[in-house]
Amino acid sequence: MTNLTALDRVLVLDFGSQYTQLIARRIREQRVYSEIWPCTKSLADIRAFAPKAIVLSGGPSSVHEVGSPSVDPALFELGVPILGICYGMQLTSHLLGGRVVPADHREYGRAEVQHDPDDSLLFGFEAHDPIEVWMSHGDQVERLPEGFKVIGRSATCPYAVVADPQRKIYGIQFHPEVVHTPRGNEILANFLFRIAKLSPGWTMGGFIEREIEKVRAQVGSDQVICGLSGGVDSSVTAALLFKAIGAQLIPVFVNNGVLRAGEAEQVQTIFRDRLGMDLRYVDASEQFLSALAGVTDPEQKRKIIGRVFIEVFEAAAKEAGASAKWLAQGTLYPDVIESVSFKGPSATIKSHHNVGGLPERMHLKLIEPLRELFKDEVRILGEELGLPNDVVGRQPFPGPGLAIRVLGEVTSDKLELLRAADRIVLEEIRRAGLYDAIWQSFAVLLPVRSVGVMGDARTYEFTCAIRAVSSIDGMTADWSPIPYEVLGRMSNRIINEVRGINRVVYDISSKPPATIEWE
């Protein structure tokens, strides 16, 4: 078995960019292990981690702001290849004696970079062929530090790509990690393999071996309660733990009252009949809906659901006996980055019910074997563990369920409206052969009533929004251009079949600036 510390590892220092997780994920796509640390980590900690390469992320700050995030300048004397991205490049230049100034023209969006022949960072790019990139910056480098040279420039940014080959320090003003830079992966691969000379060794097979050993050492002979929702994350968590500890695993499926139509029956069939797990079913729908009564704030909804989940699981642990001391959850890396700012400069977007929503005092100890993985890695892991495609290929469903798709107060009546509309959306997506091509598709019930006419009579009913996005990892997403005829069938069926909805709209917002879920 390959020990994690034996792998070539890349350290990504976070300066507050919402794309920082994407950098780590792109590196892992190259089969190189990466971790994200706050930029506030000490140089001693960084030395102890012994990274083979370091990436400095982007961020919303200016190097000239009082209190802007920085690093110990001695970082650049470690002899480790360093790549600065956007703010990371500006900070590198600023700390090494260059000059950073506000740009005459703020660049946000697509741009073209003209470049010189280069056999390192831009290896494989023809000099006469401009590179399409995604820019997002207000400051830019005006004077390079000693030892640096420019190898790429845009129409308004004279130092778009810079290099100090002697010290193996590189900077790029654009974002190679986003899909809007089509050949960004090639640039990152050049940094990893041509400059840092790393060896790819990060695989899901190796992850399974390491995590099984870790789980067995962590829990010993204790039993583990696993919160199973039927979604990809909790299903893979359960499968991994079942492989690691067998009968010590107690999978508990909680009906929280905010599930989709037919979901409770489907989950029980899959995990009892098809996967052979001793699944325990708890109908706590009244408990959850009672706790949510009158609550309209989405953050409070998430925290309430997190608290009640723990109460239900702790009750299940008592029934299991004194040996049940652990709670396993399918928490992923994107859950963590959107809930926690790493005690650094990143902004908290929203609390996830299984991260920021957990109560401070729990009787169960938490185990999260997927906490360092991205969604696409979890799907690969599920396939490696032998889960069926209709489980690993399932579209994501949020832990708080329909509670964050009923905007405003959650009631039984509103949930029934949403379930009926959501069922129609998914039926039409599948009928059109679009389910596997879309990252996530669902209905949202808006707290908006509008006037309509049905059967020559006036109606005053709710509005339903349809949301469908394409994505790779959920960190960024584009709205999906569903054919008009498919949207038309959805709208027609919802208005005719769901009494209480008389208007249907389609959400064409991307992430960012919007999030995938409405709450």
Side-chain angles (χ1 to χ4, degrees):
M1 186 188 76
T2 304
N3 189 287
L4 189 59
T5 57
L7 297 176
D8 282 352
R9 299 181 295 176
V10 176
L11 181 59
V12 180
L13 291 181
D14 179 20
F15 291 90
S17 172
Q18 294 302 323
Y19 300 142
T20 301
Q21 291 288 338
L22 284 179
I23 300 171
R25 184 185 165 277
R26 299 298 182 218
I27 293 171
R28 290 193 193 176
E29 282 181 355
Q30 309 287 345
R31 293 181 56 203
V32 174
Y33 182 73
S34 60
E35 284 190 18
I36 296 173
W37 288 12
C39 60
T40 52
K41 279 285 189 178
S42 70
L43 193 65
D45 287 335
I46 294 172
R47 281 199 182 99
F49 183 69
K52 293 293 183 69
I54 295 173
V55 177
L56 309 181
S57 84
S61 302
S62 167
V63 296
H64 299 297
E65 293 173 2
V66 176
S68 60
S70 189
V71 294
D72 187 331
L75 180 80
F76 300 98
E77 300 172 9
L78 292 178
V80 175
I82 294 176
L83 174 65
I85 296 174
C86 197
Y87 179 84
M89 171 191 175
Q90 296 163 15
L91 182 65
T92 298
S93 297
H94 177 68
L95 294 177
L96 294 181
R99 178 177 170 80
V100 178
V101 298
D104 292 334
H105 303 281
R106 185 178 186 275
E107 280 193 299
Y108 181 81
R110 288 181 170 85
E112 287 189 344
V113 169
Q114 305 289 340
H115 58 95
D116 302 330
D118 179 62
D119 63 356
S120 56
L121 195 62
L122 300 182
F123 175 79
F125 291 81
E126 296 295 334
H128 64 274
D129 190 11
I131 305 171
E132 184 180 347
V133 302
W134 183 262
M135 292 279 195
S136 179
H137 66 99
D139 290 353
Q140 65 185 32
V141 176
E142 183 183 64
R143 186 184 71 241
L144 290 176
E146 186 177 348
F148 279 79
K149 64 178 181 178
V150 59
I151 55 176
R153 60 201 62 81
S154 74
T156 58
C157 182
Y159 301 115
V161 187
V162 300
D164 181 344
Q166 188 68 29
R167 289 187 286 180
K168 295 186 177 180
I169 301 175
Y170 293 78
I172 46 180
Q173 186 57 72
F174 54 88
H175 289 273
E177 68 272 25
V178 301
V179 295
H180 308 299
T181 300
R183 298 182 67 182
N185 277 353
E186 294 177 51
I187 295 172
L188 291 174
N190 282 339
F191 174 70
L192 298 173
F193 303 123
R194 295 191 65 84
I195 295 169
K197 310 292 185 184
L198 305 184
S199 299
W202 171 250
T203 66
M204 282 300 102
F207 175 84
I208 291 172
E209 292 180 15
R210 288 188 294 271
E211 201 60 36
I212 285 176
E213 183 176 283
K214 178 181 173 183
V215 167
R216 287 173 178 168
Q218 191 173 8
V219 306
S221 60
D222 297 337
Q223 288 185 306
V224 178
I225 304 287
C226 180
L228 188 58
S229 70
V232 178
D233 306 336
S234 66
S235 298
V236 174
T237 298
L240 179 60
L241 291 174
F242 192 58
K243 187 176 180 67
I245 59 176
Q248 290 174 242
L249 178 70
I250 304 174
V252 178
F253 172 53
V254 176
N255 184 345
N256 57 13
V258 289
L259 300 175
R260 290 173 291 195
E263 195 154 23
E265 295 76 17
Q266 180 189 27
V267 170
Q268 293 181 75
T269 298
I270 290 174
F271 286 90
R272 278 192 187 136
D273 301 342
R274 292 172 59 181
L275 299 180
M277 291 188 189
D278 182 19
L279 181 67
R280 305 187 185 188
Y281 174 70
V282 179
D283 186 352
S285 52
E286 290 187 10
Q287 187 175 344
F288 278 90
L289 293 182
S290 175
L292 289 168
V295 177
T296 59
D297 179 71
E299 281 292 285
Q300 287 303 309
K301 289 182 186 179
R302 291 175 179 272
K303 291 180 184 298
I304 287 169
I305 288 172
R307 173 179 58 79
V308 178
F309 260 122
I310 297 302
E311 292 173 0
V312 172
F313 289 134
E314 288 186 336
K318 288 181 181 179
E319 290 182 15
S323 61
K325 298 178 181 177
W326 298 85
L327 170 65
Q329 294 193 136
T331 305
L332 304 190
Y333 232 1
D335 297 338
V336 175
I337 187 60
E338 289 193 342
S339 300
V340 183
S341 65
F342 291 105
K343 295 182 171 42
S346 298
T348 297
I349 304 302
K350 58 190 177 186
S351 295
H352 286 258
H353 78 289
N354 56 348
V355 183
L358 293 176
E360 292 183 7
R361 298 179 64 182
M362 291 193 335
H363 298 298
L364 295 172
K365 292 177 286 187
L366 202 59
I367 183 170
E368 298 171 314
L370 310 184
R371 189 180 176 90
E372 303 301 323
L373 298 185
F374 294 97
K375 177 70 79 172
D376 57 319
E377 291 179 310
V378 173
R379 295 190 194 280
I380 296 170
L381 178 59
E383 292 171 357
E384 293 261 357
L385 292 167
L387 288 174
N389 184 64
D390 57 347
V391 174
V392 297
R394 191 183 189 202
Q395 290 184 2
F397 184 62
L402 300 183
I404 57 171
R405 294 179 181 174
V406 171
L407 272 59
E409 183 181 5
V410 180
T411 67
S412 296
D413 291 342
K414 290 180 181 179
L415 286 168
E416 287 308 309
L417 287 179
L418 181 56
R419 283 192 186 97
D422 189 69
R423 176 179 54 78
I424 290 170
V425 169
L426 290 176
E427 284 177 357
E428 292 300 331
I429 289 291
R430 291 184 185 277
R431 177 182 171 188
L434 297 172
Y435 186 85
D436 292 333
I438 292 175
W439 170 263
Q440 213 166 345
S441 51
F442 54 90
V444 181
L445 188 67
L446 306 184
V448 175
R449 292 176 185 261
S450 65
V451 174
V453 178
M454 298 180 72
D456 295 327
R458 178 185 185 274
T459 62
Y460 188 60
E461 296 176 338
F462 285 103
T463 300
C464 169
I466 297 171
R467 179 72 157 148
V469 298
S470 57
S471 181
I472 296 174
D473 47 37
M475 294 300 293
T476 61
D478 290 321
W479 62 275
S480 295
I482 294 178
Y484 291 139
E485 59 270 20
V486 178
L487 290 172
R489 285 198 301 268
M490 290 180 189
S491 177
N492 186 61
R493 286 190 60 193
I494 289 171
I495 291 172
N496 281 281
E497 297 176 26
V498 185
R499 188 177 296 273
I501 295 176
N502 69 353
R503 192 176 299 271
V504 176
V505 298
Y506 189 52
D507 182 352
I508 58 170
S509 308
S510 293
K511 176 185 179 179
T515 55
I516 295 176
E517 298 291 343
W518 278 48
E519 288 192 341

